Amino acid sequence: MFKRILIANRGEIAMRILRCCREMGIETVLIYSSEDKDSLPVQFSTYSVCIGPAPAQQSYLNEDAILTAAKEYNCDAIHPGYGFLSENAYFARKCEKEGIEFIGPSAKMIHFMGNKDAARTLMKKHGVPVVPGSDGILNNLDEAKKVAAEVGYPVLIKASAGGGGRGMRVAHDESEIEDAYESAGAEALSAFGDGSLYLEKLILNPHHIEVQILGDKKGNIIHLLERDCSMQRRHQKILEECPASILTDRQREALYRAALKAAKAVHYYSAGTLEFVLDKTGKFYFIEMNTRIQVEHPVTEMVTGVDLIREQIRVAAGMPLSIKQSDIKINGHAIECRINAEDPERGFAPCPGDVTFLHFPNGNGVRIESALYPNSRISPYYDSMVAKVIVYARGRLEAIRKMRVALEEFTIKGIKTNLNFQYLIMYNEDFVMGNYDTGFLEKNTEAILRWNRESEKY
């Protein structure tokens, strides 16, 4: 087992990894930017190293500085968390060359599955259903128009190297495809250094379902159920559930088979997620694989009882999975709400600032993942998510009631947040009935905000 791990991340995921390492008796080295010098992870890590100023490019994305810190502190491994360098194949390869274990899949796997077009092609070869679209990278605009006409509008133009909703544009008809093609390409080149695009038929307002995968270096691969991540705003998830109440047992088993087939096709190891869309007819299609731990991993942990970070570390150290497929059962229901420092009344604009008062909810079946503390500062330089509220109960309705109580109790003063917005979702009839898809917020945001304004009058 590793003696010392460098944590190449910040905020709540850095705290999550740090706590797991402490439980496992592993020392930690936390890298941080000058902006985060007073952060909670810095205070709790065994060692901490400032590697640059606030901009992520000069700190959390500074590969050479991170590797230098890892070598100076004799770290056995680096855990990248999610975001930043977690799906950077070049960084994973640098770690391999330096003899430092990258806690995740191999650089080759990251590179291959990070190429969305190559991943689609592999899935088709192994019989995993994919959304109809282009066979390979689009060479030019004329080819995009031809493929769009064949599969039918609306279509989605996507960056081959994309992720997180970037490098994606919708064209509802031929008049929009030129602008969608050019703007998606420009954003992809800026965000990923790769302007390659492919095209898919747009499945209107599907359910976004993902299957959690775990594999080890000995060839064992299992699934750990599924999550419903359909509650999204501009392709960004804001709420997740495990399991997905929309699925029948038959659909669920078919999804698991497809996910395992996909993972085995690349001999996958570590934690990973296969993402699918489920259309109105009940058919599902593979869209991409995330080769890292997900933001929403706690809901899976609550239902399965498996510590995914611990398994990641064990696998990276060459150990076999500590659980078998037969150990994984649906046991209760979990919901996660992402709490963001943003103002829903101003188009969800980020709201950095100082936290003047803080109270976390607690109690049976309530879990908080956060690096906040009283008088801490929310930086304008990084993602606006400041906490995750996770609840677990025997059934979905009980979990919804528990989340209502938790969000009522959660208090943050000094900054604007989406706490009330998330709270009101818990009372929306369609959400309570499980009747929602990726188009839910597009249809309901204004009504939720109006409801919030009315409630504040009393």
Side-chain angles (χ1 to χ4, degrees):
M1 181 49 68
F2 302 125
K3 178 185 177 183
R4 189 175 295 163
I5 291 175
L6 183 141
I7 301 172
N9 217 298
R10 64 180 300 278
E12 64 89 12
I13 189 61
M15 283 301 300
R16 170 72 182 88
I17 299 165
L18 197 156
R19 288 186 177 113
C20 184
C21 287
R22 293 177 72 181
E23 289 175 12
M24 297 176 75
I26 300 171
E27 294 182 348
T28 53
V29 176
L30 183 90
I31 53 103
Y32 65 95
S33 72
S34 57
E35 181 79 358
D36 284 336
K37 67 182 188 306
D38 297 322
S39 71
L40 206 60
V42 169
Q43 297 174 48
F44 277 84
S45 186
T46 315
Y47 305 98
S48 54
V49 187
C50 181
I51 60 165
Q57 202 66 42
Q58 300 174 52
S59 51
Y60 296 105
L61 294 173
N62 188 336
E63 299 174 18
D64 292 339
I66 292 170
L67 284 169
T68 297
K71 287 185 286 187
E72 286 184 357
Y73 280 82
N74 297 313
C75 293
D76 307 301
I78 293 177
H79 199 309
Y82 55 72
F84 294 133
L85 296 171
S86 62
E87 292 182 288
N88 186 313
Y90 301 104
F91 179 67
R93 189 168 290 115
K94 283 183 179 180
C95 291
E96 291 169 7
K97 287 180 179 178
E98 295 290 347
I100 299 170
E101 195 67 37
F102 180 84
I103 300 180
S106 69
K108 184 178 179 180
M109 288 181 198
I110 296 171
H111 176 75
F112 187 85
M113 296 309 291
N115 184 312
K116 304 300 188 286
D117 173 63
R120 272 173 53 87
T121 301
L122 181 70
M123 295 305 106
K124 288 170 71 175
K125 179 181 177 182
H126 286 269
V128 178
V130 300
V131 180
S134 59
D135 289 323
I137 299 297
L138 296 168
N139 294 310
N140 50 50
L141 176 60
D142 288 339
E143 186 178 350
K145 289 180 178 179
K146 181 183 177 183
V147 176
E150 290 172 354
V151 302
Y153 288 94
V155 297
L156 187 62
I157 296 176
K158 302 174 72 173
S160 180
R166 292 175 295 177
M168 295 172 59
R169 294 293 186 277
V170 175
H172 293 92
D173 53 47
E174 191 174 355
S175 68
E176 296 181 357
I177 196 163
E178 181 174 355
D179 180 62
Y181 181 86
E182 292 178 353
S183 58
E187 185 176 46
L189 189 62
S190 172
F192 313 112
D194 181 354
S196 302
L197 303 171
Y198 66 100
L199 182 149
E200 289 180 345
K201 170 75 176 174
L202 178 63
I203 309 297
L204 289 171
N205 298 332
H207 287 269
H208 185 126
I209 311 292
E210 60 187 31
V211 179
Q212 178 69 55
I213 291 292
L214 264 181
D216 61 29
K217 297 177 182 179
K218 302 179 187 301
N220 302 305
I221 301 177
I222 65 171
H223 72 77
L224 290 95
L225 311 179
E226 81 286 349
R227 298 182 286 255
D228 191 332
C229 305
S230 302
M231 192 66 72
Q232 299 180 12
R233 181 180 168 275
R234 296 180 180 173
H235 304 294
Q236 295 291 318
K237 304 165 189 172
I238 71 164
L239 179 156
E240 301 91 6
E241 302 186 60
C242 177
S245 60
I246 191 70
L247 296 180
T248 64
D249 289 343
R250 197 174 196 176
Q251 288 172 320
R252 184 170 281 117
E253 289 304 319
L255 267 173
Y256 296 161
R257 285 195 300 271
L260 288 171
K261 194 182 293 184
K264 288 174 181 176
V266 291
H267 309 288
Y268 193 81
Y269 63 80
S270 193
T273 303
L274 280 301
E275 304 208 358
F276 300 86
V277 289
L278 183 76
D279 70 15
K280 303 298 182 187
T281 70
K283 293 181 180 179
F284 64 85
Y285 305 93
F286 167 85
I287 52 173
E288 66 180 4
M289 183 177 192
N290 290 312
T291 54
R292 54 173 167 79
I293 197 73
Q294 296 277 89
V295 175
E296 58 272 20
H297 75 274
V299 291
T300 296
E301 294 183 328
M302 298 294 268
V303 173
T304 63
V306 177
D307 185 329
L308 292 172
I309 301 293
R310 184 184 182 91
E311 290 299 318
Q312 266 195 309
I313 293 171
R314 284 172 49 87
V315 166
M319 301 174 72
L321 295 179
S322 66
I323 66 273
K324 304 184 297 294
Q325 190 63 74
S326 58
D327 297 326
I328 305 303
K329 302 280 193 302
I330 295 177
N331 181 27
H333 197 94
I335 302 174
E336 172 182 287
C337 285
R338 303 188 188 193
I339 308 305
N340 299 328
E342 60 188 15
D343 187 353
E345 293 289 354
R346 293 195 300 118
F348 296 86
C351 290
D354 296 324
V355 176
T356 57
F357 179 82
L358 176 67
H359 173 72
F360 286 146
N362 54 50
N364 181 35
V366 178
R367 169 176 168 180
I368 303 296
E369 298 284 343
S370 179
L372 286 184
Y373 61 90
N375 300 315
S376 58
R377 182 171 181 272
I378 309 302
S379 172
Y381 287 96
Y382 312 113
D383 186 83
S384 62
M385 189 179 74
V386 296
K388 300 183 307 198
V389 183
I390 306 101
V391 299
Y392 170 79
R394 290 171 296 178
R396 185 171 184 270
L397 289 178
E398 187 178 337
I400 290 173
R401 294 190 189 102
K402 189 164 287 193
M403 182 63 82
R404 290 172 182 170
V405 174
L407 293 175
E408 284 174 359
E409 188 179 338
F410 200 148
T411 308
I412 306 178
K413 299 291 186 182
I415 58 169
K416 295 276 190 181
T417 73
N418 66 336
L419 265 169
N420 282 352
F421 189 82
Q422 291 276 28
Y423 178 69
L424 293 174
I425 289 175
M426 292 297 120
Y427 282 92
N428 178 277
E429 184 177 352
D430 284 332
F431 173 76
V432 172
M433 296 299 293
N435 181 29
Y436 71 99
D437 53 36
T438 56
F440 175 88
L441 287 180
E442 187 178 343
K443 293 180 289 187
N444 290 282
T445 292
E446 189 49 48
I448 292 172
L449 292 176
R450 188 164 58 248
W451 189 9
N452 185 48
R453 292 182 208 115
E454 289 299 318
S455 67
E456 286 180 345
K457 293 179 182 178
Y458 302 98

